[in-house]
Amino acid sequence: MKTKFLAILTWAAVLALPKISAAQVAPALGNASSFALFTAVGAVENSGPTIINGDIGTNAGAFNGFPLGVVNGNIHVADAYATQAATDVQTAYGYMSTIPCVTPVAVYGGTPAVTMGPGSYCVGGASTLAGTLILDGGGDPNAKFFLRVTGALTTGENSLVLTQNGATPSNVYWQIGGQVTLGRNSVMRGTLLVNGAINMIAGASLIGRGLSREGAITIDTNTASLPSFVVAPVVTSTVWLGNRTTDWFTATNWSAGVPSSTLDASIPSNTSPYPLIAAGNAAANNLTIGTGASLMQSGGSLDLKGNLSNSGTISATAGTVNLSNAVTTQILGGSGSTQLWSLTIANPNGAIQGGAVRIHGVLAPANGNLTTNGQTLTLLSNAAGTALVNNNGTGNVNGNVTVQRYIASTNSGLGYRHYSAPVSGSTVGDLATAGFTPEISQGSVYNTSATPGFTTPFPTVFAYDQSRLATVTNNYSAFDKGFVVPASLASPLAVGQGYIANLSASQLVDFVGELTNGNQTLSLSRNAAATANAADAGWQLVGNPYPAPLDYSLVAASDRTGLDAAIYVYASDGPYTGQYRAYLPPAGNNPGIGNSVLPVAQGFFAHVSSGQATASLTFRNSQRLTTPNSTALQRSTAETRPMVQLELRAGNGTADMLYAYAEASATAAFDTQFDALKLPNTSGLNLASVAATSESLAIDARPVFTAATVLPLTVGVPTAGTYKLAAALDNLPASLDAMLTDAATGQTVNLRLQPAYSFSVTSAQAAASMTGRFTLHFAARSVLANAQALTAAEVTLYPNPAHNAFTVLVPAMAGATQVHADLLNTLGQVVRRQNAALAATGARLAVDASGLAAGVYTLRLQVGATTLAKRVVIQ
């Protein structure tokens, strides 16, 4: 409040100053008045598609670059007109020196924007104009501004000089005692009388004149326009009346018809029902919303040619707002609540915030910059989705932005979440929420303790440093030694790095800083092979660096040199437990395996390949998604390779997946580009295959599936109980069956006929990973039409052990039409008997075992002339 009061006093003091400059006569420009750019002595050099709206020239010097540049006026080089213009520039510059400095100022412009009324101002020495300078005419169309700089003047990148309330560029005069440099994508207004060179960086524009006494004019892809070329259209307005409907497009709801690109639209207070844009293409010049009034958008588009001043409420559930003025910068202002679904900047002069803005869909600086100007810009995130920035255009977002990240998880309570900051300048402290404060006070204790698990209070934020595997001695597993607590809340969240926080899914994390854009290359490393934990080294916790989802299938092999192809995303399912999900990028014409989408702020693990001391990972804008997407699978081609997807399921709903597939270029050993290593899940539920080189794999590629292909499996479960292995088969040859063998029960299951197999685990088995119990292998499929007999191996029985019932699958056999089944106890007594028809597709028998005593039984089957037996255990 005190700051605001002082600002009001300062503005009042400026208005109360003597009006010497308001009545001051403007300098006579003579012939120089027709030039958009002119130098009395110096070269004019253009190197881009510059547009000059007015005359251009020099009285003494070279003139190059037109054509390439376009001149909508005359070119004067060392002719009589230019000679007189040179004299007129000298006279005008001298006249400016006679105007007294009424108001000394330290600098022009700033962030937030600085507003000045009519008058005479001066800055001593060289100066930089950064941020925004607003020249306010106070309603006087003849208001004049005289601004002097005794040295050189540089305007910052994306800086703005704006005129409003009667002020015009034709009544703004600058005297600059040195060189003028107009920064990239900056906008300058007024007549510049310069004692030095004029240098316009690419994208800079001038509305007024650039007139030099002596110095070269250097231009590159710029626009320089005389004030007379920038003619404001005659604008009338239309006011919302609220005549019973909310339809924006109903003419009778407005005082002067539906708004258009040349009509200002006003939505005053107390005119409900307020307008709704549900579809179609709405438009307006300036849009003003009064206190208590509102505008709702649920679809369609709203194209604004002028400014937005919102003192009420704008809310949206869909649709886009476009800012598309082609001449001057647009302002998104007002003290109200402005929540847009999507916002597109289609204005080469850009847009500047004058108030807080929130966006839930897509922010697209397509053809111009959005400058936050010290105001709050928030990219929203909730259960409905997360906002993103589409940086495929030519513009950018300048200034700090708040990027939110809602936690979409099946675990709604506490859990470890892997984050990556989508902005630069964010810190560990930014992970704090309304209900979560990062705990790192005992980080130095944790980082050096032999028993870090006993640290109190236990840290809740971690980074990962794989070099610790070679230097740290503690009681953790080799991989877990890499977790490290940041030094302080002020520690930066490095762009492209991953971080872990233990917090509830109900918390909404936000990151504050400059949005990440463009290529981001991470330099990664791996411990030397001689270290004790070399086999576990090379893991790197990295992350999506952008304020947009990233599709890892678009990360080319050349962008991940020295890395295994696979990445690993962690999904929390409890306070300290979760699952690592592996993803393998496409190979050749085949799609990737797993989910390729990395949402906004998603951290993940990558692995520096064995034998590589260093690696690099390059993120590019071309890898970003441009439409909202949280985790949906991006797949452009269908899988054609033979594949077995085997899932280990627990009774509480948790699961772990193994992919085994045939890839001609793969081997039975670990292949960095075709396999994915197994990162053990903290939930204790783990399924992996074992490569020929002994690595545990989450994705296992073999050169081909044949009857000789055998994949030993490792199964880990957290507690004793009943678990299930469920299979999905894709593209297996018709001549080949996938088989699952359980050595503990002696059962072999044909996964084509029985896709799920239940098994029991004792406490002793659960305490250690089960290696050797299960095997995935393949067998030649029987040609039943020529089969003369049926073997016990071709009959499937599950579950085994069984409780109250079990199922028997009998394949078809030539000449057989019936199946007769007897269940015998250890005394040879028949305790169950049933018959079933044997169709061309085989038979399924559901055998009731309820009421039977626990023990070992024999199932005797009579199929045609064949009699066979299967062992079954009843528990």
Side-chain angles (χ1 to χ4, degrees), residues 223-252:
T223 302
S225 302
L226 289 172
S228 58
F229 273 82
V230 185
V231 180
V234 177
V235 178
T236 59
S237 63
T238 183
V239 179
W240 177 260
L241 302 176
N243 287 337
R244 299 193 187 93
T245 79
T246 61
D247 184 11
W248 172 284
F249 298 100
T250 297
T252 56

PDB file of all heavy atoms in Angstrom, residues 223-252:
ATOM      1  N   THR A 223      11.410  -2.466 -39.318  1.00  0.00           N
ATOM      2  CA  THR A 223      10.369  -1.598 -39.874  1.00  0.00           C
ATOM      3  C   THR A 223      10.579  -0.200 -39.324  1.00  0.00           C
ATOM      4  O   THR A 223      10.716  -0.019 -38.112  1.00  0.00           O
ATOM      5  CB  THR A 223       8.962  -2.091 -39.493  1.00  0.00           C
ATOM      6  OG1 THR A 223       8.796  -3.422 -39.964  1.00  0.00           O
ATOM      7  CG2 THR A 223       7.891  -1.215 -40.105  1.00  0.00           C
ATOM      8  N   ALA A 224      10.638   0.797 -40.229  1.00  0.00           N
ATOM      9  CA  ALA A 224      10.709   2.197 -39.824  1.00  0.00           C
ATOM     10  C   ALA A 224       9.605   2.939 -40.563  1.00  0.00           C
ATOM     11  O   ALA A 224       9.559   2.921 -41.806  1.00  0.00           O
ATOM     12  CB  ALA A 224      12.076   2.792 -40.150  1.00  0.00           C
ATOM     13  N   SER A 225       8.708   3.571 -39.822  1.00  0.00           N
ATOM     14  CA  SER A 225       7.525   4.188 -40.423  1.00  0.00           C
ATOM     15  C   SER A 225       7.348   5.602 -39.909  1.00  0.00           C
ATOM     16  O   SER A 225       7.423   5.844 -38.695  1.00  0.00           O
ATOM     17  CB  SER A 225       6.258   3.380 -40.088  1.00  0.00           C
ATOM     18  OG  SER A 225       6.367   2.060 -40.538  1.00  0.00           O
ATOM     19  N   LEU A 226       7.114   6.527 -40.826  1.00  0.00           N
ATOM     20  CA  LEU A 226       6.720   7.865 -40.417  1.00  0.00           C
ATOM     21  C   LEU A 226       5.411   7.813 -39.648  1.00  0.00           C
ATOM     22  O   LEU A 226       4.572   6.927 -39.894  1.00  0.00           O
ATOM     23  CB  LEU A 226       6.545   8.759 -41.646  1.00  0.00           C
ATOM     24  CG  LEU A 226       7.819   9.175 -42.396  1.00  0.00           C
ATOM     25  CD1 LEU A 226       7.442   9.894 -43.682  1.00  0.00           C
ATOM     26  CD2 LEU A 226       8.707  10.047 -41.536  1.00  0.00           C
ATOM     27  N   PRO A 227       5.205   8.721 -38.692  1.00  0.00           N
ATOM     28  CA  PRO A 227       3.934   8.700 -37.943  1.00  0.00           C
ATOM     29  C   PRO A 227       2.715   8.760 -38.843  1.00  0.00           C
ATOM     30  O   PRO A 227       1.684   8.185 -38.545  1.00  0.00           O
ATOM     31  CB  PRO A 227       4.042   9.943 -37.047  1.00  0.00           C
ATOM     32  CG  PRO A 227       5.501  10.188 -36.909  1.00  0.00           C
ATOM     33  CD  PRO A 227       6.122   9.762 -38.205  1.00  0.00           C
ATOM     34  N   SER A 228       2.840   9.456 -39.999  1.00  0.00           N
ATOM     35  CA  SER A 228       1.684   9.589 -40.897  1.00  0.00           C
ATOM     36  C   SER A 228       1.284   8.277 -41.541  1.00  0.00           C
ATOM     37  O   SER A 228       0.171   8.136 -42.049  1.00  0.00           O
ATOM     38  CB  SER A 228       2.005  10.613 -41.998  1.00  0.00           C
ATOM     39  OG  SER A 228       3.158  10.204 -42.721  1.00  0.00           O
ATOM     40  N   PHE A 229       2.221   7.287 -41.532  1.00  0.00           N
ATOM     41  CA  PHE A 229       1.890   5.985 -42.098  1.00  0.00           C
ATOM     42  C   PHE A 229       1.103   5.125 -41.113  1.00  0.00           C
ATOM     43  O   PHE A 229       0.546   4.109 -41.486  1.00  0.00           O
ATOM     44  CB  PHE A 229       3.158   5.236 -42.515  1.00  0.00           C
ATOM     45  CG  PHE A 229       3.616   5.561 -43.902  1.00  0.00           C
ATOM     46  CD1 PHE A 229       4.369   6.710 -44.132  1.00  0.00           C
ATOM     47  CD2 PHE A 229       3.290   4.758 -44.969  1.00  0.00           C
ATOM     48  CE1 PHE A 229       4.788   7.022 -45.412  1.00  0.00           C
ATOM     49  CE2 PHE A 229       3.708   5.061 -46.249  1.00  0.00           C
ATOM     50  CZ  PHE A 229       4.457   6.209 -46.477  1.00  0.00           C
ATOM     51  N   VAL A 230       1.124   5.475 -39.847  1.00  0.00           N
ATOM     52  CA  VAL A 230       0.413   4.700 -38.829  1.00  0.00           C
ATOM     53  C   VAL A 230      -0.860   5.458 -38.500  1.00  0.00           C
ATOM     54  O   VAL A 230      -0.896   6.312 -37.622  1.00  0.00           O
ATOM     55  CB  VAL A 230       1.273   4.499 -37.574  1.00  0.00           C
ATOM     56  CG1 VAL A 230       0.558   3.594 -36.577  1.00  0.00           C
ATOM     57  CG2 VAL A 230       2.626   3.917 -37.961  1.00  0.00           C
ATOM     58  N   VAL A 231      -1.892   5.185 -39.253  1.00  0.00           N
ATOM     59  CA  VAL A 231      -3.160   5.900 -39.110  1.00  0.00           C
ATOM     60  C   VAL A 231      -4.135   5.022 -38.350  1.00  0.00           C
ATOM     61  O   VAL A 231      -4.456   3.921 -38.781  1.00  0.00           O
ATOM     62  CB  VAL A 231      -3.747   6.272 -40.482  1.00  0.00           C
ATOM     63  CG1 VAL A 231      -5.065   7.020 -40.311  1.00  0.00           C
ATOM     64  CG2 VAL A 231      -2.750   7.105 -41.273  1.00  0.00           C
ATOM     65  N   ALA A 232      -4.558   5.493 -37.221  1.00  0.00           N
ATOM     66  CA  ALA A 232      -5.524   4.722 -36.432  1.00  0.00           C
ATOM     67  C   ALA A 232      -6.877   4.733 -37.124  1.00  0.00           C
ATOM     68  O   ALA A 232      -7.320   5.775 -37.612  1.00  0.00           O
ATOM     69  CB  ALA A 232      -5.657   5.328 -35.040  1.00  0.00           C
ATOM     70  N   PRO A 233      -7.561   3.590 -37.201  1.00  0.00           N
ATOM     71  CA  PRO A 233      -8.882   3.573 -37.809  1.00  0.00           C
ATOM     72  C   PRO A 233      -9.883   4.347 -36.969  1.00  0.00           C
ATOM     73  O   PRO A 233      -9.717   4.510 -35.767  1.00  0.00           O
ATOM     74  CB  PRO A 233      -9.238   2.071 -37.826  1.00  0.00           C
ATOM     75  CG  PRO A 233      -8.426   1.503 -36.712  1.00  0.00           C
ATOM     76  CD  PRO A 233      -7.157   2.283 -36.665  1.00  0.00           C
ATOM     77  N   VAL A 234     -10.887   4.809 -37.634  1.00  0.00           N
ATOM     78  CA  VAL A 234     -11.973   5.464 -36.911  1.00  0.00           C
ATOM     79  C   VAL A 234     -12.757   4.382 -36.190  1.00  0.00           C
ATOM     80  O   VAL A 234     -13.325   3.482 -36.808  1.00  0.00           O
ATOM     81  CB  VAL A 234     -12.899   6.235 -37.874  1.00  0.00           C
ATOM     82  CG1 VAL A 234     -14.067   6.838 -37.112  1.00  0.00           C
ATOM     83  CG2 VAL A 234     -12.103   7.304 -38.602  1.00  0.00           C
ATOM     84  N   VAL A 235     -12.726   4.431 -34.873  1.00  0.00           N
ATOM     85  CA  VAL A 235     -13.310   3.364 -34.068  1.00  0.00           C
ATOM     86  C   VAL A 235     -14.543   3.872 -33.348  1.00  0.00           C
ATOM     87  O   VAL A 235     -14.508   4.922 -32.704  1.00  0.00           O
ATOM     88  CB  VAL A 235     -12.282   2.841 -33.045  1.00  0.00           C
ATOM     89  CG1 VAL A 235     -12.912   1.774 -32.169  1.00  0.00           C
ATOM     90  CG2 VAL A 235     -11.055   2.307 -33.759  1.00  0.00           C
ATOM     91  N   THR A 236     -15.608   3.128 -33.487  1.00  0.00           N
ATOM     92  CA  THR A 236     -16.794   3.370 -32.672  1.00  0.00           C
ATOM     93  C   THR A 236     -16.933   2.213 -31.708  1.00  0.00           C
ATOM     94  O   THR A 236     -16.160   1.269 -31.749  1.00  0.00           O
ATOM     95  CB  THR A 236     -18.047   3.502 -33.561  1.00  0.00           C
ATOM     96  OG1 THR A 236     -18.196   2.293 -34.307  1.00  0.00           O
ATOM     97  CG2 THR A 236     -17.929   4.687 -34.506  1.00  0.00           C
ATOM     98  N   SER A 237     -17.884   2.284 -30.829  1.00  0.00           N
ATOM     99  CA  SER A 237     -18.007   1.254 -29.803  1.00  0.00           C
ATOM    100  C   SER A 237     -19.410   0.693 -29.751  1.00  0.00           C
ATOM    101  O   SER A 237     -20.358   1.316 -30.236  1.00  0.00           O
ATOM    102  CB  SER A 237     -17.639   1.830 -28.428  1.00  0.00           C
ATOM    103  OG  SER A 237     -18.542   2.852 -28.067  1.00  0.00           O
ATOM    104  N   THR A 238     -19.488  -0.491 -29.187  1.00  0.00           N
ATOM    105  CA  THR A 238     -20.781  -1.109 -28.949  1.00  0.00           C
ATOM    106  C   THR A 238     -20.783  -1.650 -27.522  1.00  0.00           C
ATOM    107  O   THR A 238     -19.769  -2.143 -27.041  1.00  0.00           O
ATOM    108  CB  THR A 238     -21.050  -2.235 -29.981  1.00  0.00           C
ATOM    109  OG1 THR A 238     -22.360  -2.769 -29.774  1.00  0.00           O
ATOM    110  CG2 THR A 238     -20.031  -3.356 -29.887  1.00  0.00           C
ATOM    111  N   VAL A 239     -21.915  -1.499 -26.844  1.00  0.00           N
ATOM    112  CA  VAL A 239     -22.013  -1.802 -25.420  1.00  0.00           C
ATOM    113  C   VAL A 239     -22.972  -2.967 -25.210  1.00  0.00           C
ATOM    114  O   VAL A 239     -24.057  -3.012 -25.796  1.00  0.00           O
ATOM    115  CB  VAL A 239     -22.490  -0.570 -24.622  1.00  0.00           C
ATOM    116  CG1 VAL A 239     -22.621  -0.897 -23.143  1.00  0.00           C
ATOM    117  CG2 VAL A 239     -21.533   0.598 -24.835  1.00  0.00           C
ATOM    118  N   TRP A 240     -22.569  -3.907 -24.361  1.00  0.00           N
ATOM    119  CA  TRP A 240     -23.424  -5.047 -24.027  1.00  0.00           C
ATOM    120  C   TRP A 240     -24.639  -4.571 -23.241  1.00  0.00           C
ATOM    121  O   TRP A 240     -24.515  -3.827 -22.263  1.00  0.00           O
ATOM    122  CB  TRP A 240     -22.617  -6.067 -23.225  1.00  0.00           C
ATOM    123  CG  TRP A 240     -23.414  -7.264 -22.769  1.00  0.00           C
ATOM    124  CD1 TRP A 240     -23.942  -7.486 -21.554  1.00  0.00           C
ATOM    125  CD2 TRP A 240     -23.759  -8.404 -23.568  1.00  0.00           C
ATOM    126  NE1 TRP A 240     -24.600  -8.688 -21.520  1.00  0.00           N
ATOM    127  CE2 TRP A 240     -24.509  -9.283 -22.740  1.00  0.00           C
ATOM    128  CE3 TRP A 240     -23.523  -8.770 -24.883  1.00  0.00           C
ATOM    129  CZ2 TRP A 240     -25.012 -10.501 -23.197  1.00  0.00           C
ATOM    130  CZ3 TRP A 240     -24.011  -9.984 -25.335  1.00  0.00           C
ATOM    131  CH2 TRP A 240     -24.743 -10.838 -24.504  1.00  0.00           C
ATOM    132  N   LEU A 241     -25.828  -5.032 -23.693  1.00  0.00           N
ATOM    133  CA  LEU A 241     -27.070  -4.626 -23.048  1.00  0.00           C
ATOM    134  C   LEU A 241     -27.661  -5.711 -22.158  1.00  0.00           C
ATOM    135  O   LEU A 241     -28.457  -5.422 -21.268  1.00  0.00           O
ATOM    136  CB  LEU A 241     -28.102  -4.229 -24.113  1.00  0.00           C
ATOM    137  CG  LEU A 241     -27.694  -3.094 -25.064  1.00  0.00           C
ATOM    138  CD1 LEU A 241     -28.757  -2.889 -26.119  1.00  0.00           C
ATOM    139  CD2 LEU A 241     -27.425  -1.817 -24.286  1.00  0.00           C
ATOM    140  N   GLY A 242     -27.290  -6.969 -22.425  1.00  0.00           N
ATOM    141  CA  GLY A 242     -27.818  -8.067 -21.612  1.00  0.00           C
ATOM    142  C   GLY A 242     -29.311  -8.258 -21.792  1.00  0.00           C
ATOM    143  O   GLY A 242     -30.047  -8.336 -20.802  1.00  0.00           O
ATOM    144  N   ASN A 243     -29.775  -8.318 -23.038  1.00  0.00           N
ATOM    145  CA  ASN A 243     -31.215  -8.465 -23.315  1.00  0.00           C
ATOM    146  C   ASN A 243     -31.654  -9.916 -23.227  1.00  0.00           C
ATOM    147  O   ASN A 243     -32.018 -10.547 -24.211  1.00  0.00           O
ATOM    148  CB  ASN A 243     -31.546  -7.896 -24.704  1.00  0.00           C
ATOM    149  CG  ASN A 243     -31.494  -6.391 -24.705  1.00  0.00           C
ATOM    150  OD1 ASN A 243     -31.639  -5.765 -23.659  1.00  0.00           O
ATOM    151  ND2 ASN A 243     -31.275  -5.791 -25.870  1.00  0.00           N
ATOM    152  N   ARG A 244     -31.552 -10.480 -22.037  1.00  0.00           N
ATOM    153  CA  ARG A 244     -32.089 -11.801 -21.682  1.00  0.00           C
ATOM    154  C   ARG A 244     -31.274 -12.995 -22.170  1.00  0.00           C
ATOM    155  O   ARG A 244     -31.441 -14.081 -21.654  1.00  0.00           O
ATOM    156  CB  ARG A 244     -33.528 -11.973 -22.201  1.00  0.00           C
ATOM    157  CG  ARG A 244     -34.506 -10.980 -21.637  1.00  0.00           C
ATOM    158  CD  ARG A 244     -35.935 -11.417 -21.953  1.00  0.00           C
ATOM    159  NE  ARG A 244     -36.896 -10.394 -21.577  1.00  0.00           N
ATOM    160  CZ  ARG A 244     -37.336  -9.469 -22.379  1.00  0.00           C
ATOM    161  NH1 ARG A 244     -36.911  -9.432 -23.642  1.00  0.00           N
ATOM    162  NH2 ARG A 244     -38.205  -8.572 -21.971  1.00  0.00           N
ATOM    163  N   THR A 245     -30.429 -12.868 -23.162  1.00  0.00           N
ATOM    164  CA  THR A 245     -29.654 -14.024 -23.617  1.00  0.00           C
ATOM    165  C   THR A 245     -28.172 -13.770 -23.385  1.00  0.00           C
ATOM    166  O   THR A 245     -27.729 -12.642 -23.184  1.00  0.00           O
ATOM    167  CB  THR A 245     -29.886 -14.323 -25.113  1.00  0.00           C
ATOM    168  OG1 THR A 245     -29.108 -13.417 -25.904  1.00  0.00           O
ATOM    169  CG2 THR A 245     -31.352 -14.200 -25.478  1.00  0.00           C
ATOM    170  N   THR A 246     -27.388 -14.855 -23.464  1.00  0.00           N
ATOM    171  CA  THR A 246     -25.934 -14.751 -23.268  1.00  0.00           C
ATOM    172  C   THR A 246     -25.177 -14.843 -24.587  1.00  0.00           C
ATOM    173  O   THR A 246     -23.940 -14.842 -24.572  1.00  0.00           O
ATOM    174  CB  THR A 246     -25.446 -15.880 -22.343  1.00  0.00           C
ATOM    175  OG1 THR A 246     -25.737 -17.148 -22.960  1.00  0.00           O
ATOM    176  CG2 THR A 246     -26.107 -15.793 -20.986  1.00  0.00           C
ATOM    177  N   ASP A 247     -25.875 -14.873 -25.712  1.00  0.00           N
ATOM    178  CA  ASP A 247     -25.226 -15.103 -26.994  1.00  0.00           C
ATOM    179  C   ASP A 247     -24.473 -13.858 -27.459  1.00  0.00           C
ATOM    180  O   ASP A 247     -25.064 -12.812 -27.725  1.00  0.00           O
ATOM    181  CB  ASP A 247     -26.270 -15.503 -28.041  1.00  0.00           C
ATOM    182  CG  ASP A 247     -25.644 -15.862 -29.384  1.00  0.00           C
ATOM    183  OD1 ASP A 247     -24.403 -16.000 -29.437  1.00  0.00           O
ATOM    184  OD2 ASP A 247     -26.379 -15.995 -30.376  1.00  0.00           O
ATOM    185  N   TRP A 248     -23.161 -13.978 -27.563  1.00  0.00           N
ATOM    186  CA  TRP A 248     -22.319 -12.870 -28.035  1.00  0.00           C
ATOM    187  C   TRP A 248     -22.757 -12.405 -29.409  1.00  0.00           C
ATOM    188  O   TRP A 248     -22.660 -11.216 -29.738  1.00  0.00           O
ATOM    189  CB  TRP A 248     -20.860 -13.343 -28.059  1.00  0.00           C
ATOM    190  CG  TRP A 248     -19.874 -12.396 -28.684  1.00  0.00           C
ATOM    191  CD1 TRP A 248     -19.677 -12.149 -30.006  1.00  0.00           C
ATOM    192  CD2 TRP A 248     -18.937 -11.558 -27.987  1.00  0.00           C
ATOM    193  NE1 TRP A 248     -18.681 -11.225 -30.197  1.00  0.00           N
ATOM    194  CE2 TRP A 248     -18.210 -10.846 -28.975  1.00  0.00           C
ATOM    195  CE3 TRP A 248     -18.646 -11.360 -26.651  1.00  0.00           C
ATOM    196  CZ2 TRP A 248     -17.196  -9.943 -28.650  1.00  0.00           C
ATOM    197  CZ3 TRP A 248     -17.629 -10.464 -26.317  1.00  0.00           C
ATOM    198  CH2 TRP A 248     -16.924  -9.760 -27.307  1.00  0.00           C
ATOM    199  N   PHE A 249     -23.234 -13.321 -30.254  1.00  0.00           N
ATOM    200  CA  PHE A 249     -23.498 -13.015 -31.658  1.00  0.00           C
ATOM    201  C   PHE A 249     -24.913 -12.498 -31.928  1.00  0.00           C
ATOM    202  O   PHE A 249     -25.294 -12.320 -33.083  1.00  0.00           O
ATOM    203  CB  PHE A 249     -23.240 -14.260 -32.516  1.00  0.00           C
ATOM    204  CG  PHE A 249     -21.818 -14.737 -32.453  1.00  0.00           C
ATOM    205  CD1 PHE A 249     -21.456 -15.795 -31.636  1.00  0.00           C
ATOM    206  CD2 PHE A 249     -20.829 -14.116 -33.192  1.00  0.00           C
ATOM    207  CE1 PHE A 249     -20.151 -16.240 -31.563  1.00  0.00           C
ATOM    208  CE2 PHE A 249     -19.510 -14.549 -33.128  1.00  0.00           C
ATOM    209  CZ  PHE A 249     -19.167 -15.616 -32.311  1.00  0.00           C
ATOM    210  N   THR A 250     -25.722 -12.264 -30.884  1.00  0.00           N
ATOM    211  CA  THR A 250     -27.050 -11.699 -31.066  1.00  0.00           C
ATOM    212  C   THR A 250     -26.940 -10.180 -31.095  1.00  0.00           C
ATOM    213  O   THR A 250     -26.555  -9.547 -30.105  1.00  0.00           O
ATOM    214  CB  THR A 250     -27.991 -12.134 -29.942  1.00  0.00           C
ATOM    215  OG1 THR A 250     -28.135 -13.565 -30.003  1.00  0.00           O
ATOM    216  CG2 THR A 250     -29.364 -11.489 -30.091  1.00  0.00           C
ATOM    217  N   ALA A 251     -27.298  -9.568 -32.246  1.00  0.00           N
ATOM    218  CA  ALA A 251     -27.091  -8.133 -32.445  1.00  0.00           C
ATOM    219  C   ALA A 251     -27.843  -7.297 -31.422  1.00  0.00           C
ATOM    220  O   ALA A 251     -27.358  -6.251 -30.974  1.00  0.00           O
ATOM    221  CB  ALA A 251     -27.501  -7.740 -33.857  1.00  0.00           C
ATOM    222  N   THR A 252     -29.055  -7.743 -31.044  1.00  0.00           N
ATOM    223  CA  THR A 252     -29.849  -6.937 -30.110  1.00  0.00           C
ATOM    224  C   THR A 252     -29.304  -6.959 -28.685  1.00  0.00           C
ATOM    225  O   THR A 252     -29.786  -6.226 -27.829  1.00  0.00           O
ATOM    226  CB  THR A 252     -31.305  -7.437 -30.105  1.00  0.00           C
ATOM    227  OG1 THR A 252     -31.320  -8.834 -29.794  1.00  0.00           O
ATOM    228  CG2 THR A 252     -31.955  -7.202 -31.455  1.00  0.00           C
TER     229      THR A 252
END
